[in-house]
Amino acid sequence: MGKKAKRIRTAGEFDIDRLATMLRMPRDGRNTIDAWSLESIFEARQEQMIGQFVRPSRMAEQMRTDDALYVAYENRLAPQRCIPVQIASAEGARAERIAEEADALYGPRGVGIHPDTLEDINGCLVNHGIAFATLHYVPRENGSRVDLEMRYWPIEYVRWDPVFRVFKARAEPSSVAPGDIPETPDHEYGFVGGFWIPIIHGDGRWIIFKRNEIEPFRQDAAILPACLVWARHAFACRDWSKGSVAHGNAKVIGEMPEGVPLQSADGKLTAEAAAFVELLRAVSSSDQPAGIRPAGSKIDFLVNNSTAWQVWTELVTNAEKAAARIYLGTDGTLGTQGGAPGVDIGKLFGVATTKVRGDLGSIERGIDTGLIQPWCAINFGDSKLAPSRRYVLPNDEKEAVRDNMAKRNAAFYAALVEAKNAGLILSPAYIAQLAGDYGVRVPDFTMAPPSAS
């Protein structure tokens, strides 16, 4: 017997009474840290490495306030918004009817999967290497079906348990059903305001999106390298701004004539010194372009002649290129300046196709095995005829072949016109040989070709 192509799910696997209870996140607030030091960035990076996602999720939010990382992140998610989807049916008339129902729920305009949910999932997958979603059960009024809607579950309410090697979610206690908390040492009462419950992909409640099987949060999380780029880009911009103030604001220093006192006996400025200070303020102000300097006094302008700005501009440029490469796989979005290669931005969406296919492939697998197959099993008895949800990605190789064929075909007919204009006889043998030279099909004639005699 051949090996099964996929796991078949049955309706008996899913406890509808338990799964119909919608999980909620604890109401413990979302504290945002507005100031990040280099030390706190390294600490959050280390927490990402061990699967503790509270501070890494806060850091990812703050990283999007940086212009270079924001643009790279938004461009990475752009294909998700633009590429169409379709529901692919299994074989058979019954499978086609199931696919029609699935299309209304999970197709391009389906109510079971919302574009904003997919964008949240895609963004979390990019930044943290993994993303999570829960299923919301909506029975139809006539009782004929139970529709499953996908909802994004923020990663800050998830942690990795290295002992039992399972992800756990922190949920509001009142929304947790008895079956959600195992009666084993695996169940834990977590942080204040919630229970920790295991996340099992495809159990009818949870969907896990990932690209790697073993600890994906360590292997494919963009924030691991990007947080260091954020640090050097943000700090370099800060120092560059401080340097701009120093370079753009010359200091005016005055020297009183010899023998003129600066202070009186009571420690205050003398009338002459006070008048001279006012003169210096007037000279440094564009509102008072003229003044009278006392005989023997001096006025000097101190200007910052440092070339340290060259270091800052190199750091900023390097960080912007690094951000593009981390998120997009190419720095082509930066144009041809700064060492970036020239690319067809419209064709690539500004993102390497390998990145796009990796993101969308992970989302496809998660939806098929975690959402559509359970939906099919619950409503139709099993998942044998479950359809699949696919992104309609352009085939670059086929497009290149078609373009090349069109060019060769146009050149072939241009050669025929030139031969005819030159007075040559277009015999079938000549035409066939010319078609072979250009690598195109020999045309069929609607009328007999000219005779060679």
Side-chain angles (χ1 to χ4, degrees), residues 413-426 430:
Y413 282 102
L416 285 178
V417 172
E418 290 181 3
K420 182 178 180 180
N421 293 337
L424 300 180
I425 298 175
L426 303 182
Y430 175 82

Side-chain angles (χ1 to χ4, degrees), residues 62-113:
Q62 291 296 314
M63 286 167 57
R64 290 195 288 275
T65 64
D66 181 273
D67 60 331
L69 290 163
Y70 173 81
V71 171
Y73 175 82
E74 285 294 303
N75 285 348
R76 176 68 174 269
L77 302 188
Q80 172 65 249
R81 310 182 189 110
C82 304
I83 297 177
V85 299
Q86 65 180 14
I87 298 296
S89 171
E91 296 182 0
R94 184 167 182 261
E96 291 179 358
R97 291 194 298 271
I98 294 174
E100 290 177 0
E101 289 199 35
D103 187 71
L105 280 172
Y106 311 121
R109 294 177 177 83
V111 297
I113 300 177

Side-chain angles (χ1 to χ4, degrees), residues 9-268:
R9 313 301 299 277
T10 62
E13 297 180 47
F14 305 97
D15 182 357
I16 301 299
D17 291 336
R18 177 179 68 87
L19 297 174
T21 302
M22 185 177 178
L23 286 180
R24 295 191 302 271
M25 291 159 281
R27 298 181 181 180
D28 55 356
R30 291 167 56 91
N31 296 322
T32 300
I33 302 174
D34 295 320
W36 286 76
S37 65
L38 190 59
E39 181 181 6
S40 62
I41 290 174
F42 274 102
E43 289 174 353
R45 184 171 180 260
Q46 184 61 30
E47 290 180 13
Q48 168 73 29
M49 290 287 289
I50 62 176
Q52 305 293 325
F53 300 111
V54 176
R55 290 221 297 172
S57 66
R58 298 281 77 77
M59 182 171 68
E61 291 176 353
Q62 291 296 314
M63 286 167 57
R64 290 195 288 275
T65 64
D66 181 273
D67 60 331
L69 290 163
Y70 173 81
V71 171
Y73 175 82
E74 285 294 303
N75 285 348
R76 176 68 174 269
L77 302 188
Q80 172 65 249
R81 310 182 189 110
C82 304
I83 297 177
V85 299
Q86 65 180 14
I87 298 296
S89 171
E91 296 182 0
R94 184 167 182 261
E96 291 179 358
R97 291 194 298 271
I98 294 174
E100 290 177 0
E101 289 199 35
D103 187 71
L105 280 172
Y106 311 121
R109 294 177 177 83
V111 297
I113 300 177
H114 299 282
D116 49 353
T117 302
L118 289 172
E119 185 153 345
D120 285 338
I121 290 170
N122 199 165
C124 184
L125 181 65
V126 168
N127 272 328
H128 302 282
I130 193 166
F132 303 89
T134 58
L135 300 181
H136 178 44
Y137 284 64
V138 183
R140 297 186 186 177
E141 292 182 358
N142 59 9
S144 61
R145 297 282 186 270
V146 178
D147 297 331
L148 275 61
E149 297 181 2
M150 185 174 71
R151 307 286 177 85
Y152 171 64
W153 186 271
I155 198 170
E156 68 184 278
Y157 297 104
V158 175
R159 71 175 179 87
W160 170 250
D161 188 328
V163 177
F164 295 95
R165 303 197 65 78
V166 65
F167 289 101
K168 293 183 177 180
R170 187 158 58 98
E172 173 69 30
S174 61
S175 68
V176 176
D180 289 323
I181 305 178
E183 296 178 356
T184 68
D186 187 26
H187 84 274
E188 298 174 0
Y189 297 88
F191 294 170
V192 175
F195 290 164
W196 287 110
I197 61 175
I199 298 176
I200 308 299
H201 173 75
D203 66 348
R205 185 188 287 286
W206 292 102
I207 306 175
I208 300 178
F209 302 90
K210 59 181 181 178
R211 283 185 286 265
N212 299 90
E213 180 181 3
I214 305 299
E215 297 180 346
F217 50 87
R218 292 188 178 188
Q219 302 188 55
D220 201 22
I223 65 168
L224 291 177
C227 68
L228 304 183
V229 174
W230 174 45
R232 72 173 182 264
H233 186 254
F235 293 154
C237 287
R238 179 200 62 189
D239 294 340
W240 198 355
S241 298
K242 290 182 178 179
S244 175
V245 174
H247 281 268
N249 293 274
K251 308 301 179 184
V252 183
I253 304 297
E255 180 180 329
M256 294 285 290
E258 185 176 355
V260 177
L262 295 178
Q263 291 181 323
S264 59
D266 57 1
K268 297 181 179 180

